[in-house]
Amino acid sequence: MVDHPDLSVVETSPNGSVVVELSVKNPSGLWHFMVNLLDRAEILEPPEMRAGLIEYLTSQTGVPAASADGSDSSSNTDSPSNSDTSDGEIR
Amino acid sequence: MKRVTAVERVQRILTILPWIVDNQGCHVDEVCERFGISRDDLITDLDLVFVHVGLHPFTPDVLSDISIEDDRINVHLGDYFHRPLRLTSVEALVLLTAGKARARYSTGDDAGRETLTSAVDKLSTALGAEANDTFDVQLGAADDEMLDTFRRAVEERHSVLIGYYTYGRDELSERLVDPHRLTSQGGFWYLSAFCHKAGALREFRVDRIYSAAPTESTFEAPTNTDGPAWNLNERLHTVEIVGDSSVKWVSEMYPCDEVQELADGRLRIVLPVTATRWLERLLLRLAPSTTVIDIDTGEDLRPVAVEAARRILGRYDTAQR
C-alpha cells in the first residue's frame, strides 16, 4: 500500500503499522480503496471522511452504525501503536 | 544436452551472420569451428534467416538471400541493410523507452548491460540533448534488491524462500518457490514460480512479497512457462452478479465465465471466486441493489458483505479504541 504514488508515510510504529496521508479528489474512490484493505486500515482524519466511510458501509450493507463513532475527532489522535492489529491508518 | 532458448539462438544468429556477410564464400566447416556449433545447428539457423527475415511487402529486394553451394556460404541481406536505419521520432522514442526499461532493470552482472547503456546514450544523444532527462521508466513499484534476487534466481535456477501477502485471503504465508519468470504488466511486477506449498505454478505480485531469501536448492529449467498461473479451478463459489451498468467494471477487471446483457438492460455476470476475503472486497464495492448469489447453491452472498462491514466498522467503534 505504501508504494502507492499518492501516499506518503508520516509515521511508522515498531509493530510495522504505518500512518499515511493522501489527497482525495473523489470520496467514492477512497471508500473503494479502504474496503480493499478490509479491517486492516482505518481513516483517522478528517472526521467527515471517517464519517463518510461509516455511512458508505452502512448504506451498502444495512449494518447499523450505532456503536461506530464517525464524529469524535479526539480519537483521531490515537497512536497506531496502541493497537497491535493495526497495519495501516489513513490521515 | 543443454536446451538452447530462443534468446540464445537469436544472439547466436546475430553473432554469426554479420561475420558470414563480411566473409562471403566462407566454408561451412570454418563457420562451425569458429563459432563452436554443429553443422545441423548452423544450417537450421541460416534456414530461419532465409525464410523469416524480411520486410513487407516481402519482395526480393527486402528479403535475405542465403545460398550454400559446395559448402560455401553466400549471404545477401535485404537492401535496407545497405543504408543507415532512419527511425521516425516515434520509433526512436519507443526504442529509447524499451532500452531504458531493459537497462534500468537488468542485473548488475548482466554482460550486455554496459553495451545497452551505451546504445541508449547514443540514441538519446541523437534524439536531442534533453531526451534522456525528459522521461523515466518505472515498470512497477518494487524493491530493486528484491527484483535482483528474483532475476538471479531465474537465471541461476535456485529456489527462494518468500514471505507473501495473499490478497484474496488476506493472509501472510511463507513459501519455497522456484522462480521461472519475472514480468512487468499493468504497472506491477509479477513473479511466475513453482510454489512448493501449492504444488503448482503460481503468479506472485512482487510488491506483495515482504521477504525473499535465496536458498542453495536448485531446480530444473521449466519446459513451459507460458500461460496464466492463476488457478481459478479451486473455486470457493461460482458467483452470479445481476445489477445495473455500475457493475460493468467487474466484467472488465476480472476473469468471467459469462457476461450477458438482460432484456431489462441489467448485466448478468458469472465469475469464479476462490477466496472469501476477495469476495468481501468485491461485494463491498457493488451497489446495494445488486443481487449476488452462489450459482450452484442459490445462496444469497450479500451476508458475506455484511459480516465484512461489521468487522471494518468495529475499528470505528469508540468502545474498542
Side-chain angles (χ1 to χ4, degrees):
Chain A
M1 180 183 80
V2 296
D3 287 326
H4 193 289
D6 296 329
L7 290 179
S8 58
V9 178
V10 294
E11 280 180 41
T12 302
S13 69
N15 70 358
S17 69
V18 292
V19 177
V20 303
E21 285 183 349
L22 74 160
S23 57
V24 175
K25 297 184 180 73
N26 173 14
S28 296
L30 180 64
W31 313 149
H32 286 192
F33 177 77
M34 291 302 297
V35 298
N36 271 334
L37 300 171
L38 294 172
D39 54 344
R40 287 183 177 274
E42 173 182 352
I43 297 175
L44 292 180
E45 57 186 24
E48 58 269 27
M49 285 289 145
R50 191 175 158 84
L53 180 64
I54 293 170
E55 168 61 26
Y56 172 79
L57 288 169
T58 302
S59 64
Q60 281 288 102
T61 60
V63 175
S67 60
D69 179 6
S71 59
D72 182 5
S73 60
S74 66
S75 64
N76 297 343
T77 59
D78 283 357
S79 162
S81 61
N82 289 345
S83 166
D84 288 336
T85 59
S86 294
D87 291 312
E89 312 201 10
I90 308 285
R91 174 175 290 168
Chain B
M1 194 176 80
K2 183 177 180 294
R3 185 169 150 258
V4 178
T5 66
V7 171
E8 290 168 337
R9 192 172 174 206
V10 169
Q11 285 174 338
R12 188 170 74 194
I13 292 172
L14 290 175
T15 303
I16 295 173
L17 201 59
W19 189 86
I20 297 176
V21 171
D22 288 342
N23 295 273
Q24 299 287 352
C26 56
H27 198 278
V28 168
D29 292 343
E30 183 187 4
V31 178
C32 292
E33 188 180 342
R34 185 177 191 90
F35 293 97
I37 64 169
S38 69
R39 183 187 183 88
D40 286 348
D41 282 346
L42 177 63
I43 301 300
T44 306
D45 284 353
L46 294 177
D47 275 349
L48 183 74
V49 174
F50 181 63
V51 174
H52 294 289
V53 176
L55 291 177
H56 182 81
F58 308 109
T59 48
D61 58 320
V62 291
L63 285 174
S64 295
D65 184 28
I66 296 177
S67 64
I68 303 175
E69 289 180 19
D70 299 329
D71 276 357
R72 297 280 171 187
I73 311 170
N74 282 285
V75 175
H76 170 75
L77 296 176
D79 285 346
Y80 53 89
F81 277 102
H82 297 289
R83 60 178 184 270
L85 187 62
R86 298 186 71 86
L87 299 174
T88 66
S89 56
V90 172
E91 288 171 338
L93 198 60
V94 169
L95 192 60
L96 182 62
T97 305
K100 286 183 80 163
R102 182 67 183 87
R104 165 89 172 77
Y105 292 101
S106 58
T107 48
D109 54 2
D110 186 333
R113 186 177 192 174
E114 200 173 313
T115 308
L116 178 61
T117 303
S118 170
V120 167
D121 287 344
K122 285 175 184 166
L123 182 60
S124 181
T125 303
L127 280 172
E130 70 282 5
N132 208 25
D133 301 324
T134 307
F135 68 97
D136 191 16
V137 177
Q138 296 288 340
L139 298 183
D143 180 76
D144 282 350
E145 198 175 321
M146 193 174 277
L147 286 175
D148 274 354
T149 296
F150 293 134
R151 205 170 280 116
R152 288 199 181 90
V154 170
E155 288 170 6
E156 297 166 10
R157 292 165 191 158
H158 62 73
S159 308
V160 179
L161 186 64
I162 64 168
Y164 190 65
Y165 169 61
T166 304
Y167 177 79
R169 292 195 295 275
D170 192 35
E171 67 182 25
L172 306 176
S173 61
E174 286 209 333
R175 299 149 180 264
L176 183 68
V177 299
D178 301 341
H180 292 174
R181 189 176 53 176
L182 195 60
T183 53
S184 172
Q185 188 177 356
F188 297 102
W189 282 99
Y190 292 92
L191 178 72
S192 298
F194 179 83
C195 174
H196 288 259
K197 185 179 180 188
L201 198 64
R202 287 287 184 268
E203 197 98 3
F204 299 96
R205 221 175 86 175
V206 175
D207 62 336
R208 292 178 184 155
I209 299 174
Y210 55 87
S211 64
T215 71
E216 297 296 319
S217 173
T218 57
F219 59 90
E220 290 293 313
T223 53
N224 181 14
T225 60
D226 295 334
W230 348 97
N231 187 355
L232 296 176
N233 293 323
E234 295 171 5
R235 296 180 181 210
L236 189 66
H237 301 282
T238 299
V239 171
E240 181 194 70
I241 296 171
V242 178
D244 60 23
S245 58
S246 68
V247 302
K248 191 176 181 187
W249 65 271
V250 177
S251 66
E252 294 167 344
M253 187 170 283
Y254 303 119
C256 296
D257 293 341
E258 292 177 54
V259 180
Q260 176 188 7
E261 185 170 345
L262 302 177
D264 60 6
R266 291 184 304 160
L267 275 180
R268 174 180 175 271
I269 300 168
V270 178
L271 77 166
V273 171
T274 59
T276 301
R277 294 289 180 264
W278 188 90
L279 179 61
E280 287 176 347
R281 294 180 177 107
L282 175 68
L283 295 176
L284 287 173
R285 287 178 288 163
L286 297 177
S289 60
T290 309
T291 61
V292 187
I293 62 166
D294 183 311
I295 203 167
D296 297 319
T297 65
E299 176 192 0
D300 177 8
L301 294 172
R302 272 285 171 187
V304 174
V306 173
E307 172 53 31
R310 276 190 210 284
R311 288 203 322 273
I312 298 171
L313 287 169
R315 289 195 65 122
Y316 295 80
D317 185 340
T318 51
Q320 293 184 13
R321 293 184 65 87

